[in-house]
């Protein structure tokens, strides 16, 4: 397969100075931060479209959590799109977040191996890596197609010992080459990273959050993380769509204006979506569809509804 995506957008220099790219700095930032937010492309795009007052409230939330933002290599490719150009609003939004002293990391997915190697021997990191990749190796995925195209990567899928990191690093390199428009690769690779990070014994449950408005990708991540046996780790990661993120901000008093809530919900085109939620009188979660204004009214009513994903 060939790709029309570029790993480095043509106007990358516009954000280069605000990104942390050195591995040693990244390692220190990840381990010292209270919260790490993996920011998906669709959510960055949506949040770049709201007014700066709301963007300031979003940034206040990140700051309150002692948070850093991680933009993976694949997400950067998605932001650049087929034109290989970061849009002006996205550039301005990222610069604004940086101006609030929020660290923004350009996270090369292969760095996950080195982060795990701070605690585990290579053989154990390879084992965790294999579990993570298998959890996202569905038949319709780019990950699956990459294994089909490159037989040398097949040991990752089988119960054979991998003695070094060569196959793991090659996997990340090869899978990015197969990136296609409309796939879930960005979310799947974020999922692989978060899956592995939950094995770090020194990190708190809930430290790692995925912000994504790709519903199918988020469902994949949620399912994969739930597949980790409790006896291995009972740590959880948080997955936030813009509607769920908004509800968190409301509950923690970062936003309370119905106009602003409606604007941020409209940014993710909530009028066109069914949202997984649990009403106060529901026994089971279900899918609900409302306008942005109706959702804003519901979210401002204490305990009226809980958005689940």
């Amino acid at each position: 397969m060939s790709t029309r995506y570029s790993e480095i957008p043509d106007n990358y220099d516009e954000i280069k100075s605000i990104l942390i790219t050195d591995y040693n700095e990244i390692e220190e930032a990840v381990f010292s931060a209270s919260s790490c937010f993996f920011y998906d492309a669709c959510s960055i795009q949506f949040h770049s479209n709201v007014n700066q007052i709301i963007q300031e409230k979003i940034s206040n939330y990140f700051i309150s959590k002692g948070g850093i933002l991680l933009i993976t290599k694949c997400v950067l490719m998605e932001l650049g799109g087929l034109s290989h150009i970061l849009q002006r609003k996205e550039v301005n939004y990222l610069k604004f977040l940086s101006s609030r002293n929020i660290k923004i990391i350009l996270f090369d997915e292969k760095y996950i191996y080195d982060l795990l190697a701070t605690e585990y021997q290579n053989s154990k990191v390879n084992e965790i890596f294999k579990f993570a990749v298998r959890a996202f190796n569905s038949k319709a995925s780019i990950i699956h197609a990459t294994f089909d195209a490159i037989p040398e990567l097949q040991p990752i899928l089988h119960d054979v010992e991998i003695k070094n990191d060569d196959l793991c690093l090659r996997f990340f390199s090869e899978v990015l080459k197969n990136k296609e428009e409309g796939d879930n690769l960005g979310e799947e690779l974020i999922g692989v990273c978060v899956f592995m990070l939950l094995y770090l014994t020194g990190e708190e449950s809930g430290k790692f959050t995925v912000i994504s408005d790709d519903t199918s990708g988020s469902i994949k991540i949620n399912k994969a993380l739930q597949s980790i046996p409790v006896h291995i780790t009972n740590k959880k990661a948080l997955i936030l769509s813009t509607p769920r993120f908004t509800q968190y901000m409301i509950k923690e008093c970062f936003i309370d204006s119905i106009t602003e809530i409606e604007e941020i919900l409209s940014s993710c085109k909530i009028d066109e979506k069914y949202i997984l939620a649990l009403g106060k009188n529901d026994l089971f979660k279900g899918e609900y569809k409302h306008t942005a204004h109706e959702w804003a009214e519901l979210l401002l009513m204490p305990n009226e509804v809980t958005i689940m994903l």
Side-chain angles (χ1 to χ4, degrees), residues 132-233:
V133 170
R134 291 177 192 179
F136 290 91
N137 186 37
S138 60
K139 286 188 177 181
S141 69
I142 295 298
I143 289 176
H144 185 83
T146 301
F147 284 118
D148 281 349
I150 305 174
E152 294 87 349
L153 295 176
Q154 287 289 326
I156 295 172
L157 301 179
H158 302 293
D159 294 326
V160 295
E161 184 179 359
I162 301 176
K163 298 183 183 295
N164 54 49
D165 62 1
D166 292 351
L167 278 183
C168 303
L169 300 184
R170 185 179 177 191
F171 164 80
F172 285 120
S173 175
E174 296 293 345
V175 78
L176 288 178
K177 294 177 184 177
N178 293 332
K179 168 74 186 154
E180 294 180 349
E181 186 177 14
D183 62 28
N184 293 128
L185 186 60
E187 295 78 29
E188 289 167 354
L189 293 183
I190 287 173
V192 169
C193 292
V194 173
F195 187 109
M196 295 180 69
L197 287 167
L198 293 183
Y199 279 75
L200 290 171
T201 58
E203 304 306 313
E204 296 290 329
S205 181
K207 173 171 178 172
F208 301 103
T209 295
V210 178
I211 301 178
S212 176
D213 285 280
D214 185 314
T215 303
S216 61
S218 295
I219 290 171
K220 286 182 181 180
I221 295 173
N222 189 51
K223 182 179 179 181
L225 299 185
Q226 289 182 350
S227 73
I228 304 174
V230 175
H231 72 274
I232 293 177
T233 178

Side-chain angles (χ1 to χ4, degrees), residues 23 27 31 107 111-119 197 200:
Y23 173 75
E27 180 183 305
F31 286 130
F107 191 80
Y111 289 162
I112 195 66
Y113 195 98
D114 295 314
L115 289 177
L116 269 289
T118 62
E119 179 172 343
L197 287 167
L200 290 171

Side-chain angles (χ1 to χ4, degrees), residues 59-169:
S59 68
N60 287 342
Y61 182 89
F62 293 142
I63 292 167
S64 76
K65 302 301 178 184
I68 61 173
L69 306 181
L70 295 95
I71 298 175
T72 64
K73 200 171 182 179
C74 189
V75 165
L76 184 64
M77 291 170 65
E78 292 178 344
L79 289 173
L82 300 179
S83 68
H84 306 168
I85 297 291
L86 298 167
Q87 298 303 303
R88 176 56 43 202
K89 285 185 177 181
E90 297 160 11
V91 170
N92 290 342
Y93 176 54
L94 293 176
K95 285 183 174 180
F96 172 73
L97 294 174
S98 177
S99 75
R100 302 295 317 280
N101 295 317
I102 299 170
K103 291 181 179 179
I104 305 177
I105 288 171
L106 178 57
F107 191 80
D108 190 326
E109 289 88 348
K110 68 175 181 286
Y111 289 162
I112 195 66
Y113 195 98
D114 295 314
L115 289 177
L116 269 289
T118 62
E119 179 172 343
Y120 297 107
Q121 296 293 325
N122 280 7
S123 59
K124 182 63 175 178
V125 179
N126 289 333
E127 180 184 314
I128 296 169
F129 170 76
K130 288 165 70 173
F131 290 149
V133 170
R134 291 177 192 179
F136 290 91
N137 186 37
S138 60
K139 286 188 177 181
S141 69
I142 295 298
I143 289 176
H144 185 83
T146 301
F147 284 118
D148 281 349
I150 305 174
E152 294 87 349
L153 295 176
Q154 287 289 326
I156 295 172
L157 301 179
H158 302 293
D159 294 326
V160 295
E161 184 179 359
I162 301 176
K163 298 183 183 295
N164 54 49
D165 62 1
D166 292 351
L167 278 183
C168 303
L169 300 184

